[in-house]
Amino acid sequence: MTLTDPVAHLTPERWAAANRALIRKGLAEFAHERLLNPQELGESRYQVLSDDGTTEYRFTADRFALDHWQVYPESISRHRGDEQLPLDALVFITELRGSLGLSDEILPVYLEEISSTLAGTAYKATKPPVTAAELAHAGFQAIETGMTEGHPCFVANNGRLGFGVDEFRAYAPEAASPLHLIWLAARRDRATFTAGADIEYDAFVRAELGDAAVDGFAATLAGRGLDPADYLLMPCHPWQWWNKLSVTFAAEVAQQRLVYLGEGDDSYLAQQSIRTFFNTSDPAKHYVKTALSVLNMGFMRGLSAAYMEATPAINDWLHQLIESDSVFAAARFSIIRERAAVGYRHLEYEAATDRYSPYRKMLAALWRESPVPSLAEGERLATMASLLHVDHAGASFAGALIKESGLEAAVWLRRYLDAYLLPVLHSFYAYDLAFMPHGENVILVLDENGTVSRAIFKDIAEEIVVMDPAAVLPPAVERVRAEIPEDMKLLSVFTDVFDCFFRFLGATLAAEGVLDEDSFWRAVADCVHAYQASKPELSDRFAQYDMFAETFALSALNRLQLRNNKQMVDLADPSAALQLVGDLVNPIARFA
């Protein structure tokens, strides 16, 4: 593919394959969320009718625990009367817009997100195919950029509205294009730098940027007659500078409250979360997370300057809690801390907007620890999202790791559960603390045989909640307290872990013949039992919040996006927005 044709990935064949894959996911996830009600036609055959009843989608599917639909893409066909029609994802959404509850306002934006997701799928299809077995031996960043699916639940999961095709090639994680961050000088009367204990601004930026770059930026400021001591250095996503700040913040630039300094020396790779960057020039240095005013999967991906101020303190508090706990220590569980943050306040936009406004989230950044320095000899890293990855031949990454380990599949799984699920349970029961531990927010440490030895959680300050109204928190950490109704607290485990991750992992391993579904959920139950047996002093809480309850509420994520694809959830009140649709049978209840 040559750069002379920027849309060479958009061929009829790739587009047809992308549409089939997206309709497969739409049928599966919309049926799971009970937006669609497939009618059984016979042995594993189903149909879904369009809103007007004239168009029929037929497909083959297997049903798994948690009302999971394993739809087989090649089985899908679309019919009207005696005529078979081509598959078209945009038409699929439009034909079912009533069932999906799409308003006139949301529908066109959602179709744009679907179009962008399809384009991303077509682009990924141009990359040389890598087998799951090859990927299982690959490096951390090759695995990170080798993921093809994105979030397992969301159908429109690669919207990135705002990226042009050239910017997609430059900044999308799957493009794996190295980039250099842009650096700005921000006047201290409008900008704030906060950092964790033992971090001092000047030493920190010199360690990240190098003396030559810092001194060069100071010389640039001095050359304009400005005092470097009046400014803080801020990293910025290139897209954000060229598309937003250089225009939207033009007054700040013109009045030298913001000064463009140019690119930094280090090379970075975009991570699955799109606005977080891994330093490939020096992998031991911090990740950088930047504001990005691109609409992606239910949120404008900005960063709040106000939120950034408390971020390092929240991370230090959680780090100390984990370090002082013997259960976490035994599991070798850790977080990578957000160690420093910088935010810029545009006072005029602030005066004109409320706290939710994307105008308040255009210029901020944080620095997160790298997991690389913590590795022992023979250890390697993989994003947990990779466990759900299935290659072009239908082989799973998780299955490849199990095969490489030489262990029984259930034994491999149990070691993973002890590293990942056990810390989630202990956080909840001992501290009323919930993470958002989905695949992209967890990094797995693998030993030389591909067995999970420990888990590292990330994305702390914006994602954790303390649900205990009586918990004593330092003033700077108070923001993470959230009022969650008693009957919804355990959804932090049932939804984020069981429904949004284990549902897919169990079905993938079962469909591949690696581990049957009964054995998968028995291993999960065994992990829960073992944890509970180790903490008899928490027995009252185990009874109050019952992991073996017969059912739990189905919290529907696509329904959030279909209702409001610009602001799905208020992070300060996460439970208020939840779309609960009946119950799911708890797959470990039978092992109580």
Side-chain angles (χ1 to χ4, degrees), residues 400-424:
L401 288 178
I402 291 168
K403 186 174 182 182
E404 180 195 347
S405 73
L407 299 172
E408 292 283 327
V411 175
W412 185 96
L413 177 66
R414 179 58 192 276
R415 292 190 186 174
Y416 156 68
L417 294 170
D418 287 345
Y420 165 65
L421 177 59
L422 189 147
V424 171

Side-chain angles (χ1 to χ4, degrees), residues 22-189:
L22 192 136
I23 290 172
R24 181 216 67 78
K25 187 169 187 178
L27 289 168
E29 290 308 300
F30 294 150
H32 171 71
E33 296 191 12
R34 301 167 188 177
L35 289 156
L36 303 179
N37 182 27
Q39 303 301 304
E40 195 161 359
L41 296 175
E43 190 64 31
S44 298
R45 288 289 290 170
Y46 298 88
Q47 70 167 8
V48 164
L49 293 178
S50 61
D51 290 339
D52 65 7
T54 63
T55 306
E56 178 189 8
Y57 290 86
R58 300 175 193 159
F59 59 94
T60 302
D62 287 325
R63 306 282 296 277
F64 288 94
L66 294 171
D67 204 11
H68 181 73
W69 291 75
Q70 192 88 346
V71 176
Y72 297 97
E74 295 311 317
S75 73
I76 304 168
S77 57
R78 177 172 165 246
H79 305 265
R80 189 176 298 139
D82 295 330
E83 185 184 7
Q84 182 166 339
L85 303 170
L87 294 178
D88 184 312
L90 299 180
V91 173
F92 171 76
I93 298 297
T94 308
E95 286 180 335
L96 294 162
R97 63 170 298 186
S99 302
L100 301 180
L102 281 160
S103 68
D104 291 346
E105 180 188 7
I106 298 294
L107 176 62
V109 183
Y110 191 71
L111 290 178
E112 189 180 358
E113 292 184 277
I114 292 287
S115 298
S116 180
T117 300
L118 292 168
T121 302
Y123 176 82
K124 292 168 199 172
T126 67
K127 299 171 77 174
V130 178
T131 66
E134 290 169 328
L135 202 61
H137 292 278
F140 181 33
Q141 289 306 295
I143 294 169
E144 184 77 27
T145 57
M147 298 301 94
T148 53
E149 183 45 56
H151 196 291
C153 298
F154 287 100
V155 176
N157 65 8
N158 279 319
R160 300 159 183 177
L161 301 191
F163 277 4
V165 68
D166 54 334
E167 293 157 335
F168 173 89
R169 290 176 177 279
Y171 309 132
E174 60 270 22
S177 301
L179 61 80
H180 293 261
L181 297 174
I182 280 173
W183 286 83
L184 306 174
R187 275 191 63 90
R188 287 175 181 263
D189 55 2

Side-chain angles (χ1 to χ4, degrees), residues 157-365:
N157 65 8
N158 279 319
R160 300 159 183 177
L161 301 191
F163 277 4
V165 68
D166 54 334
E167 293 157 335
F168 173 89
R169 290 176 177 279
Y171 309 132
E174 60 270 22
S177 301
L179 61 80
H180 293 261
L181 297 174
I182 280 173
W183 286 83
L184 306 174
R187 275 191 63 90
R188 287 175 181 263
D189 55 2
R190 298 254 176 150
T192 305
F193 176 88
T194 50
D198 69 30
I199 289 180
E200 183 271 323
Y201 169 77
D202 194 60
F204 182 80
V205 295
R206 286 184 178 276
E208 281 296 303
L209 279 161
D211 288 336
V214 174
D215 293 340
F217 290 158
T220 299
L221 291 169
R224 292 191 176 198
L226 303 172
D227 184 352
D230 292 338
Y231 290 84
L232 294 171
L233 297 179
M234 293 189 73
C236 169
H237 194 298
W239 185 95
Q240 192 75 351
W241 169 253
W242 295 115
N243 290 276
K244 284 292 176 186
L245 302 176
S246 57
V247 178
T248 310
F249 279 40
E252 310 304 284
V253 177
Q255 295 169 83
Q256 298 187 318
R257 293 194 282 258
L258 280 180
V259 181
Y260 173 76
L261 299 171
E263 291 185 344
D265 295 330
D266 284 357
S267 182
Y268 290 86
L269 268 183
Q271 303 296 282
Q272 286 280 309
S273 62
I274 200 169
R275 58 188 168 147
T276 303
F277 296 97
F278 181 84
N279 191 320
T280 53
S281 297
D282 185 348
K285 284 187 183 179
H286 291 74
Y287 288 91
V288 181
K289 183 175 182 177
T290 58
L292 184 63
S293 299
V294 164
L295 186 69
N296 193 50
M297 223 170 66
F299 289 102
M300 187 70 76
R301 296 288 160 174
L303 273 187
S304 162
Y307 256 53
M308 287 305 98
E309 286 193 43
T311 287
I314 292 168
N315 279 262
D316 279 354
W317 168 80
L318 183 60
H319 175 72
Q320 287 165 359
L321 183 151
I322 290 168
E323 288 285 290
S324 61
D325 184 286
S326 59
V327 175
F328 291 137
R332 300 173 63 213
F333 171 69
S334 64
I335 61 170
I336 42 178
R337 286 174 291 177
E338 291 144 8
R339 296 294 279 144
V342 62
Y344 186 88
R345 298 180 62 183
H346 191 300
L347 302 183
E348 291 71 26
Y349 286 131
E350 278 194 18
T353 58
D354 66 15
R355 67 187 176 97
Y356 301 105
S357 173
Y359 286 96
R360 294 191 180 202
K361 301 176 183 178
M362 285 192 180
L363 184 51

